[in-house]
Amino acid sequence: MKIVEVENLRLSYDGVRRVLDNISFEVSKGEFIVILGRLGSGKTSLLRVLSGLIPHVYYGNVEGEVNVCGKNIVEVGAEGLIGCVGLVIDDPSKQIFNLTVEDDVAFGPLNMGLSEEEVLERTRTAIKALGLTGLEKRNPKELSGGQQQRVALAGVFALRPKLLLLDEPISMLDPIGKIEVLKSLRKLNRDYGVSCIISESGNDLEEVVEIASRVIVLDKGKIVADGEPEEILSKNIVEKLGFEKPFRIKLFSKIRRMNMGLEDIVKSAIINRRESGNVTYNGEEILNVKNVKYAYPNGVLALKDISLSVYKGEMLGIIGQNGSGKTTLALVMAGVLEPQSGEVRVYGRNIREYSLKERIRLVNYVFQNPDNQLFSETVEEEVAFALKMLRYPPKVISQKVTEVLRIFGLEKYRKMPISELTKDVKALTSLASIYILEPKVLIVDEPTNGLDYSSSLKIMSILKELTLKDKSVVIISHNMKLIHRFCDRVVVIHNGQVLLQGKPNEVFKKISVLRRISIKPPPIFEVAYELSEKLGIDSERAIAALELIVREGG
Amino acid sequence: MPMIFEYEPRNTFLHKLNPIAKVIMLLSIFIVLTVYWDPRFVLTITLISTVLYMVSKTPPKWLLIVLPVTVIRFIESLILGISQAQGAYFHYLPPEVASKVIAKIGPITIIYGGILWTISDILKIVSTIMLTFSFIYTTSLNDIVKMLSFFRVPRKLIYVFVVALKLVPDILREINTTMIAQRLRGWELSSKNPIKLVKQAIPLAYPFLRKTIGYVDTLTVMAYVRGFGASGKMESKWKPKFNISDYIVIATSFIGASLSLYYALEYGIGLI
């Protein structure tokens, strides 16, 4: 039975440029499809068409034939697809309307005008299916990101859709949230037969692909590959489009080529192991957090006796679950929040003793959402804003803006209106607009959130380059692969305390500790852990061997 | 922690009340409040409103936040009260009492009737705010949707109401974040000149506005895909369930409002 039938779909917003071009595919009942594409490849537009939002709620010129549950979307719109299609977006907070879980799940059925009994039955079933039993009376805002997204899913599932459209539903979640949501999706797909189409920009490809039955690769509005996950992801086109192949697929394709057993390869790789050079920093302490405690006005203790240092020219990664205290710690480090006890010292002096204008040139913080910062007409004005506030002479401002735009690769966007920028350029502009103050320590909260893999790499590379100019960069992120690849040190925060800290390899190899707090290390560490257990070798040696195999083919 | 203008699930008497009973009670009080002008009677209603506010455990902070706006309304009431400088405006107060001069400030004569009117008006504003806040704090969005659908309010109107109720607390959260973000770029509200203050506030206003528009857009779409798109086509099958306290509240409200209206309109009790 076909749930979706798309034939020669063409979509344009301005009547000229095609956002979707000659798209044809079908979705059968029970399929789990990943739509893989970079930012601007047309993924969200495709989901909006399938949900009937385009052309009924969002403007768009749709050509071709699109039938969902046997209904033509142009004729029925989203209204006619309720009970057939459910849509879930990346940010759970925007999908949750009510202040208890059960109220929110009941919201959709209630809007459908169903009887009280039917509403209750659907609510109970959805809550059970999404593993939310026991949380019915809780305020969704007090739940973790993963739980919130499951509440959003339950709200949609209560409408009894045959097809779930998921627009990067795990991109904003912490590692445990990602696992929880994907597990729930797998359950809805397998146990309830709900077909799923999930869009993915590449950062969570590793996790998403594990439950997919099919991958469709979208590039510039066209389908460039369509097939089973392993077949598609082992093709070179995936890397050509700027995605990183999932580690396991990369590893197994190398092994297949080497025609040897995995254990033998690892053993031989250990023998041929080369010591990889460790990145070092010169050791000058810039910022010191000492025994900091911070409680919110409602009494919640966010930080419990935290101590750590930031050294000159290092890139420090801070990881932990949502609600572990990472952002609070960052705001305390930047002097925005004043701890109840303990202190943050910058160059040996309490940060709160500096004036605001001094402070922002010592330690500064870049928000996760660039829209909180950006307000000027153009990129140039945006980047110049902070210096204008500090009353720098226009000539100096102009010189500094030119230099910062060059560092962040924004020269060609100089005169471009902020409203026309893509997500990645917005993120860079927001970084540049803080970096122009030349803070000694730059704290960046989830810089790659909502970006595709290649944009994420670009941003991380630019931030890494700043450390070569003796700036210290602190990255808060859920993206373990990027943290592993770019950071010199990692601090793991759990329940407002520092649980682990050290070099990435030292931290990520402590798999059992990380698993206990539901942090999923980069896949190489997981495979190495399994191997070390099996072969009885040191996990660090297994990691080095696997790195060698993947990099050089053993 | 709930934001201002946000429902919080609790176990108070008002929280447990059926939304229809709650609306009937509030409407009754509002009707009586509109009719009464005698400060003694209005003060009684203000006291009832205060009790309801306290019983519902609505955060007192909410009142402090709206204080600046309320003060402007108080000033407006004062001006209107003072401008009623003729005893003839008051039909129920004895003319010698209504026109009794309390003070003369230049060409302005302040009479007793005008002062009574001002006091009542201010008390009415306070009562209305407290009752509205108590209602918002104790009534979930779903209860509001059910109740409005039950009263056959057009679904488009319910939709606007629901989106607005969801929007206000979320937007307040965003303002806070935007303010911190701009302060980290050297922005400060640091002038006593109101024009300069407005100019300085632009960095806050613009991202806030842009975010609000984007947010409203997403919110609208998400509500739409969860059934709000089915405008006007579906009838509510919700059947309200009342318990004994709901019946008591409905009966008391109905009887209280009817008696008050009868005595006010027939004998002028509570009027000035």
Side-chain angles (χ1 to χ4, degrees):
Chain A
M1 186 189 156
K2 302 287 177 215
I3 303 283
V4 176
E5 290 164 294
V6 180
E7 213 181 317
N8 296 327
L9 166 66
R10 291 180 297 276
L11 170 74
S12 72
Y13 292 119
D14 55 8
V16 183
R17 201 179 70 87
R18 280 188 185 165
V19 180
L20 297 174
D21 196 2
N22 267 330
I23 300 274
S24 297
F25 68 98
E26 288 178 342
V27 180
S28 304
K29 189 176 185 293
E31 274 197 282
F32 198 115
I33 300 175
V34 175
I35 309 262
L36 179 64
R38 296 182 57 178
L39 285 176
S41 59
K43 302 182 300 293
T44 300
S45 296
L46 180 59
L47 295 187
R48 285 180 177 176
V49 170
L50 295 177
S51 61
L53 289 171
I54 294 178
H56 293 268
V57 177
Y58 296 110
Y59 172 77
N61 184 23
V62 179
E63 293 172 63
E65 190 75 14
V66 183
N67 290 313
V68 179
C69 299
K71 296 173 188 169
N72 186 306
I73 60 106
V74 179
E75 285 165 18
V76 297
E79 204 168 314
L81 293 175
I82 291 166
C84 163
V85 173
L87 176 69
V88 175
I89 57 169
D90 54 352
D91 186 352
S93 69
K94 287 180 183 161
Q95 303 164 84
I96 294 171
F97 286 78
N98 284 272
L99 287 158
T100 65
V101 169
E102 62 181 2
D103 271 0
D104 203 73
V105 178
F107 185 67
L110 207 67
N111 292 332
M112 291 173 79
L114 302 173
S115 68
E116 190 87 4
E117 293 73 33
E118 177 78 8
V119 171
L120 277 175
E121 194 275 318
R122 284 188 177 210
T123 306
R124 277 192 208 119
T125 309
I127 283 175
K128 197 177 163 205
L130 272 302
L132 295 165
T133 310
L135 302 175
E136 293 90 337
K137 301 282 177 201
R138 293 276 302 273
N139 183 341
K141 286 199 183 82
E142 289 165 4
L143 303 179
S144 69
Q147 287 170 326
Q148 284 188 33
Q149 191 61 297
R150 282 191 286 142
V151 173
L153 268 170
V156 170
F157 183 61
L159 295 165
R160 301 274 158 93
K162 294 180 179 67
L163 172 68
L164 271 180
L165 301 172
L166 306 132
D167 198 359
E168 306 214 28
I170 59 166
S171 65
M172 289 178 77
L173 305 181
D174 56 13
I176 188 172
K178 289 180 202 281
I179 297 167
E180 280 175 12
V181 170
L182 289 175
K183 223 188 220 174
S184 301
L185 285 174
R186 190 202 295 250
K187 190 175 178 196
L188 294 184
N189 178 247
R190 293 200 180 156
D191 299 354
Y192 295 87
V194 181
S195 307
C196 297
I197 300 182
I198 183 167
S199 68
E200 173 54 43
S201 298
N203 277 330
D204 297 310
L205 186 59
E206 197 98 37
E207 290 85 2
V208 168
V209 93
E210 274 181 30
I211 55 170
S213 59
R214 187 174 150 197
V215 174
I216 294 177
V217 185
L218 212 57
D219 183 42
K220 293 173 189 154
K222 288 184 180 172
I223 292 180
V224 291
D226 182 352
E228 284 186 14
E230 207 173 324
E231 174 207 336
I232 298 296
L233 294 174
S234 51
K235 284 184 180 172
N236 286 337
I237 188 156
V238 174
E239 278 173 341
K240 267 190 200 158
L241 288 174
F243 300 110
E244 193 187 31
K245 282 182 185 170
F247 177 76
R248 282 171 204 264
I249 288 186
K250 217 165 21 177
L251 181 67
F252 290 123
S253 67
K254 295 265 183 182
I255 288 168
R256 224 174 284 139
R257 253 182 274 156
M258 290 158 78
N259 210 15
M260 283 167 78
L262 176 62
E263 291 171 22
D264 298 331
I265 296 167
V266 171
K267 279 177 189 162
S268 74
I270 290 167
I271 296 161
N272 296 324
R273 180 185 167 201
R274 291 176 208 156
E275 290 294 332
S276 58
N278 281 328
V279 185
T280 53
Y281 41 88
N282 65 14
E284 187 192 342
E285 187 187 71
I286 306 285
L287 184 145
N288 178 263
V289 178
K290 201 173 174 196
N291 305 116
V292 159
K293 277 186 191 165
Y294 183 84
Y296 279 102
N298 61 357
V300 172
L301 196 58
L303 303 177
K304 305 167 191 166
D305 200 18
I306 279 202
S307 298
L308 59 90
S309 298
V310 179
Y311 299 96
K312 191 176 178 180
E314 76 164 337
M315 187 180 253
L316 174 71
I318 298 184
I319 60 173
Q321 300 299 345
N322 282 345
S324 58
K326 304 184 300 294
T327 299
T328 309
L329 173 64
L331 291 172
V332 167
M333 283 162 81
V336 175
L337 299 177
E338 190 175 7
Q340 276 86 11
S341 70
E343 61 177 353
V344 176
R345 297 183 85 85
V346 181
Y347 289 118
R349 190 176 156 200
N350 190 319
I351 191 160
R352 301 283 298 184
E353 288 171 11
Y354 291 101
S355 71
L356 175 71
K357 286 181 180 167
E358 288 170 325
R359 207 190 300 157
I360 59 178
R361 276 179 289 185
L362 285 171
V363 184
N364 215 317
Y365 174 79
V366 183
F367 275 78
Q368 187 177 332
N369 186 346
D371 283 333
N372 285 123
Q373 280 175 217
L374 308 180
F375 69 94
S376 302
E377 284 290 306
T378 63
V379 171
E380 181 182 31
E381 287 172 36
E382 193 65 59
V383 176
F385 175 78
L387 295 186
K388 280 185 190 163
M389 286 286 113
L390 299 180
R391 298 179 200 285
Y392 274 58
K395 208 175 165 189
V396 177
I397 294 178
S398 173
Q399 280 170 357
K400 283 197 176 274
V401 167
T402 307
E403 190 195 329
V404 169
L405 289 178
R406 186 188 52 76
I407 292 172
F408 285 86
L410 291 167
E411 298 106 313
K412 62 179 173 183
Y413 304 102
R414 189 173 189 137
K415 301 282 178 196
M416 207 182 221
I418 296 290
S419 55
E420 287 177 21
L421 301 180
T422 51
K423 265 188 193 175
D424 52 339
V425 183
K426 261 191 189 178
L428 282 169
T429 308
S430 115
L431 279 169
S433 71
I434 292 289
Y435 181 72
I436 197 152
L437 289 164
E438 296 183 73
K440 305 290 176 210
V441 180
L442 183 65
I443 306 169
V444 194
D445 202 346
E446 293 286 357
T448 60
N449 216 349
L451 302 184
D452 60 28
Y453 183 69
S454 55
S455 308
S456 303
L457 280 185
K458 186 179 165 190
I459 285 185
M460 291 299 283
S461 306
I462 290 172
L463 289 171
K464 188 73 188 175
E465 271 175 41
L466 299 184
T467 62
L468 302 176
K469 296 181 203 301
D470 279 344
K471 302 288 175 200
S472 308
V473 178
V474 179
I475 303 280
I476 298 173
S477 179
H478 292 313
N479 192 322
M480 301 303 153
K481 271 200 274 182
L482 292 178
I483 289 279
H484 174 230
R485 185 161 168 180
F486 288 94
C487 290
D488 304 313
R489 275 195 314 133
V490 180
V491 172
V492 184
I493 306 283
H494 181 62
N495 278 340
Q497 286 173 308
V498 173
L499 184 72
L500 290 172
Q501 59 176 319
K503 288 182 179 158
N505 277 4
E506 289 166 14
V507 169
F508 286 127
K509 75 178 183 188
K510 292 181 177 154
I511 302 263
S512 49
V513 181
L514 295 175
R515 276 186 184 164
R516 219 170 43 232
I517 58 164
S518 301
I519 284 184
K520 205 171 184 288
I524 188 169
F525 289 90
E526 292 196 305
V527 177
Y529 181 77
E530 286 160 25
L531 278 175
S532 65
E533 294 270 287
K534 204 170 169 188
L535 303 179
I537 56 168
D538 174 41
S539 63
E540 206 167 328
R541 297 178 77 196
I543 292 162
L546 288 171
E547 275 175 348
L548 209 62
I549 294 166
V550 172
R551 204 168 48 233
E552 297 170 14
Chain B
M1 285 261 292
M3 265 319 233
I4 183 171
F5 305 138
E6 194 168 47
Y7 160 77
E8 188 182 7
R10 297 190 80 153
N11 210 19
T12 72
F13 170 71
L14 248 77
H15 279 85
K16 285 190 275 186
L17 218 53
N18 184 295
I20 294 178
K22 219 181 308 184
V23 163
I24 290 173
M25 178 180 75
L26 293 184
L27 277 178
S28 306
I29 299 176
F30 282 139
I31 290 168
V32 176
L33 205 56
T34 317
V35 175
Y36 280 166
W37 280 103
D38 185 330
R40 290 168 301 174
F41 287 81
V42 181
L43 182 66
T44 312
I45 298 176
T46 308
L47 289 175
I48 294 171
S49 310
T50 311
V51 170
L52 288 173
Y53 195 88
M54 288 165 73
V55 166
S56 67
K57 297 196 172 147
T58 311
K61 200 175 139 193
W62 289 23
L63 292 176
L64 287 177
I65 292 169
V66 294
L67 195 66
V69 184
T70 321
V71 167
I72 294 169
R73 274 291 285 121
F74 289 173
I75 296 166
E76 202 184 308
S77 295
L78 194 66
I79 295 166
L80 281 168
I82 290 170
S83 65
Q84 297 178 85
Q86 290 181 36
Y89 290 159
F90 304 94
H91 301 291
Y92 295 92
L93 275 180
E96 67 280 8
V97 177
S99 57
K100 190 178 162 190
V101 176
I102 292 185
K104 267 193 170 187
I105 309 161
I108 303 165
T109 307
I110 303 169
I111 62 166
Y112 191 65
I115 286 296
L116 289 183
W117 188 94
T118 302
I119 293 169
S120 294
D121 201 40
I122 289 173
L123 289 174
K124 282 179 181 208
I125 296 165
V126 173
S127 307
T128 309
I129 290 172
M130 284 200 291
L131 290 170
T132 311
F133 283 177
S134 308
F135 180 75
I136 292 171
Y137 188 69
T138 59
T139 318
S140 75
L141 218 50
N142 274 3
D143 277 346
I144 292 172
V145 172
K146 280 194 268 190
M147 182 192 62
L148 294 176
S149 309
F150 179 76
F151 286 124
R152 300 194 182 277
V153 173
R155 294 195 62 83
K156 294 259 178 196
L157 206 63
I158 302 176
Y159 184 38
V160 172
F161 195 69
V162 165
V163 169
L165 269 181
K166 159 94 176 125
L167 195 67
V168 174
D170 287 353
I171 290 298
L172 288 169
R173 275 187 201 98
E174 287 307 326
I175 290 181
N176 194 30
T177 313
T178 307
M179 272 178 80
I180 296 173
Q182 299 302 347
R183 273 175 67 82
L184 287 171
R185 297 210 297 168
W187 170 83
E188 270 180 304
L189 275 179
S190 56
S191 174
K192 283 175 184 160
N193 181 339
I195 297 168
K196 275 191 180 167
L197 270 179
V198 170
K199 243 176 129 182
Q200 285 174 353
I202 289 172
L204 191 71
Y206 195 79
F208 168 64
L209 194 70
R210 198 176 47 222
K211 244 186 138 182
T212 306
I213 293 167
Y215 188 77
V216 171
D217 185 46
T218 312
L219 209 64
T220 311
V221 172
M222 293 325 293
Y224 188 80
V225 295
R226 286 183 68 187
F228 260 84
S231 52
K233 287 186 181 166
M234 289 164 188
E235 278 184 22
S236 169
K237 288 178 189 155
W238 177 66
K239 289 186 181 63
K241 285 175 192 148
F242 297 106
N243 57 32
I244 188 77
S245 52
D246 295 317
Y247 286 119
I248 292 171
V249 166
I250 292 171
T252 315
S253 306
F254 189 72
I255 295 166
S258 307
L259 287 176
S260 306
L261 282 177
Y262 174 73
Y263 282 107
L265 300 176
E266 193 66 27
Y267 303 106
I269 290 175
L271 305 180
I272 55 174

